[in-house]
Amino acid sequence: RRAPGRPRLSPVRLSSTGAAAQRAPGREEADSKVSSWKKTFPEVQAERLEQAQRTVLINCPAKISEKKFLKYLSHHGKINSHYFYESYGTYAVVEFSEKDSIASLQDITRTPGIEEECAVPFKSRLFTLTLKNSSIQAADQAPVHCHKQSTILVNDLVQKLCSADSVSNQLYTLMDEYQLTEENTKLRFLACSLIQEIACAYFPECTVKPFGSSVNTFGKLGCDLDMFLDLDEIERSPTRTKTGPFYMEYQMKRVPSQRIASQRILSVIGDCIDNFGPGCVGVQKILNARCPLVRFSHQPTGFQCDLTTNNRVAMRSSELLYIYGSLDSRVRALVFSVRCWARAHGITSTIPGPWITNFSLTMMALFFLQKRTPPIIPTLDQLKDLADAEDKHIVEGHDCTFASNVNKIKPTENTETLDVLLSDFFEYFGNFAFNKNSINIRKGKEQNKPEPSPLYIQNPFEQALNISKNVNQSQLDRFVALARECAWILQQEDKGHSSLSNSQPWGLAALLLPSVASNCVKGKKRRKGPTSERIKSLLDSLKINNANSLVNNGGK
Ligand code: GTP
Ligand code: MG
């Protein structure tokens, strides 16, 4: 158990974002100067998308000789990397060194002979490998080693946290357990690339890219996969030739608005995914949301996917969060812990409704870090001042300009420990004047609320919008009460007055226990128990109209 009393200052842990998306295989050990160079978001995206194009996904028996498997596949070309995982069976992700290897593998692959059903003849990079003589071939074979694709259970996490030696290290432990692994990140890009193949049937130059928490450095194992169908390459016009007396233009179908175009495109792509997409199930077209989307489950990878198009602002938000997450290791550690805490107490939910979202929570944590003295991260306006000409981005009239090169941003001189930051985060939001102030990461300052929503977090790019418009007063009150309770618990421990005995969870682990939620209603009113609390929340959610409940989807 750690000694009571936290140091206020400590050397900041080296800013290794730890995110799989940040690692540069083969480059990091080469030279410490080079290894501290952080790639820009577009560089990471381009590299991983290209890698995904050279990768195949193979359903195979769990008991298989890895050596023979690799030898068999290497007839088609050099294999760069491979790994196995479980999702409705055992799968292998195999990355070839050249794209041509895939065509070679497809040449020897048969279409399935199904007796009672009929296979839709769509050839993809998703294969099934079977043993010619399974009883003999698998007999003495041990199952292959599978990489984990989900987080540990909360109880196991609590135990792990208890063996850390400080609250700071508890936060880093949680992040290490929860963050996306290199393998999981690769799989996310591969899933996008498989969907891109389907969309390419209509739009050969399109790209499908991940955005949101899959790539913004705050993704947790098991989080949904937000996909962006990017048609910009098709729309990009060549510079007009000065020679000759004519202009050439494509004849194209015209529709009344961009929204209608997006709905129509997603509608057909949704049908293709539903009808031809191997492993794609439960396809839902949610085209009337503020931002139309197609939701489906990709069974081979186990991802719940939300496909949108014309969503460039969300892509910029993802890049902005990537920059903040890459600047200082405390940013990610704090955000992961706050997100995990919020989920443990039902402050966030997977069901759309009047709950605070992970996106809103992240904005709150970033705002808090901008308010430290000295600030730990810059404001969005400061990032805009650092922008080069090529960083300029105006999306549908919204200024989305900010410096994309993390290496250009001066590191903070703030050396506060995460012990202090976590406790002060709860203290800060436990006492925030939500009734009159809004949160604004562009300015890094509270501002008067322009309208009376209980929680007002200004959308950093579409500045007239509130990203937490869906949150009702009762959900905000729950957040505030829990934040106060947690600030109090951490302060008591800090003074060495912990009411908990040595064998009980402490620090961050104590904050994740269900008892925290029940304690914070004690004294105010009789405890009603978690079930009635949940029912009350659900009843509240029914009070808000349908349009409001779509805000959650609409924000994608
Ligand atoms: P998870 O809960 O881990 O999925 O976090 P996430 O950041 O991926 O959130 P989500 O899947 O709900 O949304 C994906 C992305 O859409 C976010 O990262 C944002 O860029 C954007 N987004 C989500 N909600 C809103 C919103 O209310 N307003 C706006 N403008 N963008 C949003
Ligand atoms: Mg998401």
Side-chain angles (χ1 to χ4, degrees), residues 500-514:
L500 303 166
S501 79
N502 274 358
S503 59
Q504 278 187 312
W506 59 277
L508 178 59
L511 306 188
L512 301 178
L513 300 177

mmCIF file of all heavy atoms in Angstrom, residues 500-514:
data_model
loop_
_atom_site.group_PDB
_atom_site.id
_atom_site.type_symbol
_atom_site.label_atom_id
_atom_site.label_comp_id
_atom_site.label_asym_id
_atom_site.label_seq_id
_atom_site.Cartn_x
_atom_site.Cartn_y
_atom_site.Cartn_z
ATOM 1 N N LEU A 500 -10.936 3.315 4.805
ATOM 2 C CA LEU A 500 -10.805 1.937 4.344
ATOM 3 C C LEU A 500 -9.631 1.245 5.025
ATOM 4 O O LEU A 500 -8.600 1.864 5.266
ATOM 5 C CB LEU A 500 -10.549 1.943 2.828
ATOM 6 C CG LEU A 500 -11.604 2.647 1.983
ATOM 7 C CD1 LEU A 500 -11.071 2.875 0.584
ATOM 8 C CD2 LEU A 500 -12.858 1.825 1.926
ATOM 9 N N SER A 501 -9.814 -0.016 5.299
ATOM 10 C CA SER A 501 -8.699 -0.740 5.904
ATOM 11 C C SER A 501 -7.702 -1.077 4.791
ATOM 12 O O SER A 501 -8.028 -0.972 3.613
ATOM 13 C CB SER A 501 -9.199 -2.003 6.570
ATOM 14 O OG SER A 501 -9.407 -2.968 5.591
ATOM 15 N N ASN A 502 -6.517 -1.511 5.188
ATOM 16 C CA ASN A 502 -5.458 -1.740 4.210
ATOM 17 C C ASN A 502 -5.810 -2.766 3.148
ATOM 18 O O ASN A 502 -5.297 -2.727 2.052
ATOM 19 C CB ASN A 502 -4.184 -2.189 4.934
ATOM 20 C CG ASN A 502 -3.415 -0.969 5.371
ATOM 21 O OD1 ASN A 502 -3.834 0.155 5.094
ATOM 22 N ND2 ASN A 502 -2.304 -1.179 6.057
ATOM 23 N N SER A 503 -6.676 -3.708 3.483
ATOM 24 C CA SER A 503 -6.974 -4.766 2.525
ATOM 25 C C SER A 503 -8.014 -4.303 1.499
ATOM 26 O O SER A 503 -8.320 -5.017 0.565
ATOM 27 C CB SER A 503 -7.486 -5.991 3.263
ATOM 28 O OG SER A 503 -8.645 -5.610 3.969
ATOM 29 N N GLN A 504 -8.563 -3.114 1.687
ATOM 30 C CA GLN A 504 -9.639 -2.695 0.784
ATOM 31 C C GLN A 504 -9.120 -1.833 -0.369
ATOM 32 O O GLN A 504 -8.062 -1.214 -0.249
ATOM 33 C CB GLN A 504 -10.683 -1.931 1.581
ATOM 34 C CG GLN A 504 -11.611 -2.900 2.275
ATOM 35 C CD GLN A 504 -12.754 -2.173 2.930
ATOM 36 O OE1 GLN A 504 -12.547 -1.190 3.631
ATOM 37 N NE2 GLN A 504 -13.950 -2.656 2.686
ATOM 38 N N PRO A 505 -9.894 -1.802 -1.474
ATOM 39 C CA PRO A 505 -9.448 -0.994 -2.612
ATOM 40 C C PRO A 505 -9.223 0.464 -2.217
ATOM 41 O O PRO A 505 -9.956 1.006 -1.389
ATOM 42 C CB PRO A 505 -10.617 -1.107 -3.594
ATOM 43 C CG PRO A 505 -11.278 -2.382 -3.233
ATOM 44 C CD PRO A 505 -11.141 -2.507 -1.759
ATOM 45 N N TRP A 506 -8.229 1.070 -2.799
ATOM 46 C CA TRP A 506 -7.885 2.457 -2.489
ATOM 47 C C TRP A 506 -7.655 3.235 -3.784
ATOM 48 O O TRP A 506 -7.568 2.642 -4.868
ATOM 49 C CB TRP A 506 -6.624 2.501 -1.605
ATOM 50 C CG TRP A 506 -5.445 1.850 -2.267
ATOM 51 C CD1 TRP A 506 -5.161 0.521 -2.290
ATOM 52 C CD2 TRP A 506 -4.438 2.474 -3.074
ATOM 53 N NE1 TRP A 506 -4.044 0.272 -3.035
ATOM 54 C CE2 TRP A 506 -3.564 1.462 -3.526
ATOM 55 C CE3 TRP A 506 -4.171 3.802 -3.444
ATOM 56 C CZ2 TRP A 506 -2.454 1.724 -4.329
ATOM 57 C CZ3 TRP A 506 -3.068 4.069 -4.242
ATOM 58 C CH2 TRP A 506 -2.222 3.033 -4.675
ATOM 59 N N GLY A 507 -7.540 4.537 -3.675
ATOM 60 C CA GLY A 507 -7.259 5.390 -4.828
ATOM 61 C C GLY A 507 -8.277 5.192 -5.940
ATOM 62 O O GLY A 507 -9.486 5.105 -5.687
ATOM 63 N N LEU A 508 -7.790 5.075 -7.166
ATOM 64 C CA LEU A 508 -8.688 4.917 -8.311
ATOM 65 C C LEU A 508 -9.556 3.670 -8.167
ATOM 66 O O LEU A 508 -10.726 3.663 -8.550
ATOM 67 C CB LEU A 508 -7.846 4.853 -9.592
ATOM 68 C CG LEU A 508 -8.591 4.639 -10.907
ATOM 69 C CD1 LEU A 508 -9.604 5.748 -11.172
ATOM 70 C CD2 LEU A 508 -7.610 4.565 -12.082
ATOM 71 N N ALA A 509 -8.982 2.598 -7.591
ATOM 72 C CA ALA A 509 -9.746 1.357 -7.435
ATOM 73 C C ALA A 509 -10.988 1.612 -6.578
ATOM 74 O O ALA A 509 -12.084 1.115 -6.885
ATOM 75 C CB ALA A 509 -8.864 0.283 -6.800
ATOM 76 N N ALA A 510 -10.842 2.396 -5.512
ATOM 77 C CA ALA A 510 -11.974 2.677 -4.618
ATOM 78 C C ALA A 510 -13.060 3.464 -5.360
ATOM 79 O O ALA A 510 -14.255 3.279 -5.111
ATOM 80 C CB ALA A 510 -11.488 3.462 -3.406
ATOM 81 N N LEU A 511 -12.627 4.310 -6.300
ATOM 82 C CA LEU A 511 -13.597 5.147 -7.014
ATOM 83 C C LEU A 511 -14.462 4.354 -7.983
ATOM 84 O O LEU A 511 -15.491 4.827 -8.442
ATOM 85 C CB LEU A 511 -12.887 6.256 -7.804
ATOM 86 C CG LEU A 511 -11.925 7.154 -7.055
ATOM 87 C CD1 LEU A 511 -11.485 8.301 -7.943
ATOM 88 C CD2 LEU A 511 -12.548 7.702 -5.786
ATOM 89 N N LEU A 512 -13.997 3.149 -8.339
ATOM 90 C CA LEU A 512 -14.745 2.350 -9.311
ATOM 91 C C LEU A 512 -15.791 1.460 -8.637
ATOM 92 O O LEU A 512 -16.603 0.833 -9.309
ATOM 93 C CB LEU A 512 -13.795 1.470 -10.129
ATOM 94 C CG LEU A 512 -12.715 2.217 -10.929
ATOM 95 C CD1 LEU A 512 -11.812 1.234 -11.661
ATOM 96 C CD2 LEU A 512 -13.348 3.181 -11.931
ATOM 97 N N LEU A 513 -15.775 1.411 -7.302
ATOM 98 C CA LEU A 513 -16.692 0.502 -6.599
ATOM 99 C C LEU A 513 -18.124 1.038 -6.619
ATOM 100 O O LEU A 513 -18.337 2.244 -6.518
ATOM 101 C CB LEU A 513 -16.246 0.333 -5.141
ATOM 102 C CG LEU A 513 -14.844 -0.251 -4.933
ATOM 103 C CD1 LEU A 513 -14.513 -0.303 -3.451
ATOM 104 C CD2 LEU A 513 -14.735 -1.634 -5.555
ATOM 105 N N PRO A 514 -19.113 0.133 -6.714
ATOM 106 C CA PRO A 514 -20.513 0.587 -6.750
ATOM 107 C C PRO A 514 -20.896 1.370 -5.493
ATOM 108 O O PRO A 514 -21.768 2.232 -5.535
ATOM 109 C CB PRO A 514 -21.315 -0.716 -6.829
ATOM 110 C CG PRO A 514 -20.346 -1.787 -7.189
ATOM 111 C CD PRO A 514 -18.974 -1.329 -6.838
#
